């Protein structure tokens, strides 16, 4: 069933109070999300959660002008990075399927490589497969995935069309625990090679594990939201993990702000429309 735009925004907890503002100076249309009342939705099943402190969102003044934080591309994967550096997409996928570089290989049903358009504008990166993903071999197919799909739909996007979805680690951490730093370091070369081959125009980091894997940063998500990071020349932005949002529904409005911010970063790269 496909939802109307209004239904989707309601699902994301941001309807009916987000509005289109009149153009500001030369900044074009700016959409604005306001923190809504907590919607009366039932509490969802427990899911792998990336904890993040509850802090007030950065004000517009704090976020403008957009700061750019450059991040060195430094894989700590040692031998693995050398091994994957020259691989093409099918070879990389095969290497991940057969990988035994960390102990997460022991309890997985299968490695979950990623899914989507191989020429994407958007790359969304999560933490690691959960139980559903481990069975189905595709990222974000459980409850958190449904919310991610709704978030994509609210942006008029769909997985597979200009969107690729991947995870910081490719194998399910037992009991949905957070991946350990050593596991993320072992898996990082695959993610880095995926990014190098996909060449997305914007990277959206969903939760702390993805931030740690890509930006090598352990600061709070709240302090990193609304900033433009730079990964190998690609803009990267930070937001909350969908599983966290399922348990903290009022935070959905902040995630929506983050997605609009990401879209602005993406659109800023597009050539201006000709005036005729
Ligand atoms: N959570 C994640 O981070 N990734 C998935 O693929 C599913 C849930
Ligand atoms: Fe290999 Fe990554 Fe799976 Fe560890 S999580 S076994 S490094 S594919």
């Amino acid at each position: 069933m496909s939802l109307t735009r209004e239904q989707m925004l309601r699902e994301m907890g941001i309807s009916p109070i987000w509005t289109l503002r009149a153009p500001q100076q030369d900044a074009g249309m700016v959409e604005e999300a306001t923190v809504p009342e907590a919607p009366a939705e039932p509490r969802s099943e427990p899911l792998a959660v990336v904890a993040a402190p509850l802090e007030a969102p950065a004000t517009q003044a704090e976020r403008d002008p957009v700061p750019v934080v450059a991040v060195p591309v430094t894989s700590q994967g040692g031998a693995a990075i050398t091994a994957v550096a020259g691989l093409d997409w099918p070879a990389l996928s095969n290497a991940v399927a057969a990988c035994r570089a960390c102990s997460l290989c022991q309890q997985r049903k299968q490695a979950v490589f990623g899914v989507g358009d191989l020429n994407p504008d958007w790359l969304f990166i999560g933490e690691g497969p959960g139980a559903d993903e481990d069975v189905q071999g595709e990222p974000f197919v459980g409850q958190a995935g449904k919310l991610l799909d709704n978030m994509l739909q609210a942006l008029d996007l769909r997985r597979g069309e200009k969107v690729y979805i991947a995870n910081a680690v490719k194998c399910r951490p037992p009991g949905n625990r957070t991946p350990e730093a050593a596991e993320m370091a072992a898996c990082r070369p695959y993610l880095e090679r995926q990014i190098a081959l996909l060449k997305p125009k914007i990277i959206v980091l969903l939760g702390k594990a993805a931030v740690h894997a890509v930006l090598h940063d352990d600061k709070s998500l709240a302090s990193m939201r609304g900033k433009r990071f730079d990964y190998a020349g690609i803009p990267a932005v930070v937001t909350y993990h969908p599983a966290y949002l399922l348990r903290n529904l009022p935070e959905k409005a902040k995630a929506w702000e983050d997605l609009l911010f990401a879209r602005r970063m993406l659109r800023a790269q597009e050539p201006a429309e000709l005036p005729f």
Side-chain angles (χ1 to χ4, degrees):
M1 185 192 70
S2 95
L3 301 177
T4 65
R5 185 171 177 79
E6 204 174 304
Q7 284 170 322
M8 246 142 39
L9 293 169
R10 198 176 311 126
E11 161 60 25
M12 280 198 63
I14 49 187
S15 180
I17 45 171
W18 74 285
T19 51
L20 275 178
R21 272 199 267 145
Q24 288 189 331
Q25 293 148 11
D26 58 347
M29 297 297 281
V30 177
E31 286 120 307
E32 183 178 52
T34 317
V35 177
E37 299 290 328
E41 288 178 35
R43 195 183 165 82
S44 49
E45 293 296 308
L47 288 152
V49 173
V50 179
L54 300 174
E55 287 181 28
T59 63
Q60 195 69 31
E62 281 169 332
R63 289 205 308 269
D64 282 332
V66 176
V68 179
V69 185
V71 178
V73 181
T74 53
S75 178
Q76 294 161 16
I81 189 69
T82 319
V84 304
L87 298 185
D88 65 10
W89 194 261
L92 185 64
S93 169
N94 289 339
V96 167
C99 180
R100 303 194 65 82
C102 84
S103 60
L104 294 183
C105 69
Q106 287 164 13
Q107 293 184 51
R108 72 178 177 211
K109 289 195 171 53
Q110 59 190 312
V112 179
F113 186 57
V115 69
D117 194 328
L118 298 187
N119 183 25
D121 287 346
W122 298 76
L123 172 60
F124 289 83
I125 302 177
E127 178 174 315
D132 296 317
E133 291 76 20
D134 188 44
V135 170
Q136 294 185 44
E138 183 172 327
F140 283 102
V141 290
Q143 287 301 314
K146 288 198 185 111
L147 177 56
L148 180 59
D149 283 334
N150 286 336
M151 291 158 71
L152 293 178
Q153 214 179 339
L155 289 167
D156 208 17
L157 295 170
R158 272 152 292 282
R159 66 170 68 201
E161 284 174 40
K162 290 284 166 198
V163 172
Y164 195 88
I165 305 173
N167 278 312
V169 295
K170 313 302 187 200
C171 304
R172 182 193 179 199
N176 292 346
R177 66 166 170 75
T178 303
E180 288 166 8
E183 293 159 351
M184 288 201 284
C187 214
R188 189 174 295 135
Y190 298 124
L191 182 62
E192 290 183 345
R193 187 66 186 149
Q194 282 180 306
I195 299 172
L197 290 168
L198 291 169
K199 299 186 183 66
K201 295 183 182 147
I202 181 82
I203 300 173
V204 181
L205 300 167
L206 303 167
K208 283 202 87 163
V211 170
H212 181 78
V214 175
L215 302 181
H216 316 285
D217 207 318
D218 278 326
K219 289 203 272 297
S220 75
L221 288 185
S223 70
M224 298 178 79
R225 290 180 53 240
K227 292 190 176 126
R228 186 199 138 138
F229 294 87
D230 184 299
Y231 174 87
I234 303 166
V237 304
V238 165
T239 192
Y240 297 114
H241 190 286
Y244 169 80
L245 296 175
L246 287 172
R247 292 159 47 117
N248 297 275
L249 295 173
E251 303 289 69
K252 281 186 188 173
K254 292 186 192 165
W256 178 241
E257 276 182 27
D258 297 338
L259 293 177
L260 294 179
F261 177 70
R263 187 163 68 181
R264 286 202 294 279
M265 296 300 102
L266 173 63
R267 288 185 174 167
Q269 300 167 56
E270 289 168 359
E273 270 184 40
L274 294 173
F276 49 83

